[in-house]
Amino acid sequence: MDQRADYIAWMTKNRGEDPRYLRARFERFQNMVGHVDLWEPRNKRAFLMTPRDEFCLPGDRGVIYDVNYHSIGYGVTITGPRVVGRMTSSIDVKMGEKVLEIGTGSGYQSAYLSNLTDKVWTIEIIKPLAERTRGIYDKLIDGGYTEYKAITSKNADGYFGWEDAAPFDKIIVTCGIDHIPPPLLQQLKTGGIMVIPVGPPGAQRILKVVKEAGVDDQVTVKRSDIYNGRPVPFVPFTKMDGEAIKGTHNQR
């Protein structure tokens, strides 16, 4: 993680990756460390080991390590790397912890998480996108990225979480909503952490939510803003109406 040339040489030899994208990834990594988007060695390694360029549309591979969000089709985007890094660092995933992601999207976030734990669940509401992303995981597994075997995925409405697999140590939500979904809070272990964009459309604030044990078996929730009040736009937390996607889960 110290020298770009050593990193590129190791990744080229051991992962067979393209030096062009490795160079861009390492430069973004250095920028993220400088901006305190990554602050723990395991998270730094996870970022460097995850080929973001495999999870975008082919035409965007040359620019996918810039700070922007990029379309992946179906009206949704792949979140910028700095935001992904800070959200992931904020939940401090340990090996063996169960992590749920809401909003699989491109697949990049769960791929990143699989370098931190061997237990990842992810939900995508858009069926063809869920199928496409599962295909990317399976192709990369065949190519030697065996960490992606840790990812269990399904097509469903993420608002209701994944009750059969609960409880979870950590939950990461990658779509914006104006409240914290009660089912997700219920499926979070006591002592667990969730990061979620909360607020009006286009101006959410990313909250770190810690579920704590209170008195008389009551549960309390401690909230903080990982960007200290700076709004960050996210795609909306859409909902299922029968078998169709219709509207959002916003209460207002």
Side-chain angles (χ1 to χ4, degrees), residues 199-213:
Q204 294 89 11
R205 286 166 170 76
I206 305 177
L207 299 185
K208 176 181 176 179
V209 178
V210 182
K211 184 176 178 180
E212 299 179 334

Side-chain angles (χ1 to χ4, degrees), residues 25-247:
R25 192 185 313 164
F26 194 83
E27 289 173 356
R28 177 54 55 196
F29 163 76
Q30 291 180 310
N31 174 271
M32 290 168 66
V33 171
H35 283 88
V36 200
D37 298 310
L38 300 169
W39 57 78
E40 189 270 332
R42 293 185 70 246
N43 271 284
K44 293 176 181 178
R45 177 189 179 278
F47 177 83
L48 287 172
M49 291 293 286
T50 308
R52 182 175 169 87
D53 45 282
E54 294 285 356
F55 295 96
C56 63
L57 297 179
D60 288 329
R61 296 188 78 184
V63 294
I64 202 58
Y65 290 100
D66 64 21
V67 297
N68 299 315
Y69 290 47
H70 293 276
S71 171
I72 55 170
Y74 305 101
V76 294
T77 59
I78 179 172
T79 305
R82 287 186 57 186
V83 175
V84 175
R86 184 168 294 207
M87 290 180 74
T88 308
S89 294
S90 295
I91 60 175
D92 191 24
V93 177
K94 307 297 186 186
M95 179 55 71
E97 289 186 329
K98 294 174 65 176
V99 183
L100 173 65
E101 179 199 15
I102 306 300
T104 310
S106 68
Y108 174 66
Q109 175 69 79
S110 281
Y112 186 156
L113 289 167
S114 73
N115 279 285
L116 295 167
T117 182
D118 56 354
K119 297 179 176 67
V120 180
W121 284 259
T122 183
I123 304 172
E124 173 55 53
I125 197 171
I126 303 171
K127 186 174 182 180
L129 179 56
E131 293 172 344
R132 186 181 81 187
T133 300
R134 184 69 251 177
I136 293 172
Y137 289 145
D138 293 340
K139 177 184 176 182
L140 289 170
I141 289 169
D142 289 343
Y145 292 80
T146 55
E147 61 268 35
Y148 301 158
K149 292 180 180 180
I151 303 170
T152 303
S153 60
K154 72 173 180 178
N155 164 230
D157 188 332
Y159 188 89
F160 305 101
W162 200 318
E163 190 172 1
D164 291 345
F168 297 97
D169 298 284
K170 309 289 169 63
I171 297 177
I172 187 163
V173 181
T174 59
C175 40
I177 190 169
D178 63 4
H179 64 284
I180 299 171
L184 298 184
L185 195 57
Q186 291 166 5
Q187 292 174 28
L188 185 66
K189 286 183 179 179
T190 300
I193 304 172
M194 180 192 316
V195 283
I196 177 171
V198 177
Q204 294 89 11
R205 286 166 170 76
I206 305 177
L207 299 185
K208 176 181 176 179
V209 178
V210 182
K211 184 176 178 180
E212 299 179 334
V215 297
D216 299 325
D217 295 323
Q218 297 297 308
V219 171
T220 62
V221 175
K222 180 180 178 182
R223 308 181 189 193
S224 58
D225 186 327
I226 71 171
Y227 277 106
N228 298 314
R230 194 182 92 194
V232 182
F234 275 81
V235 296
F237 201 133
T238 51
K239 66 179 180 179
M240 296 293 289
D241 184 357
E243 295 186 0
I245 300 171
K246 187 177 180 180

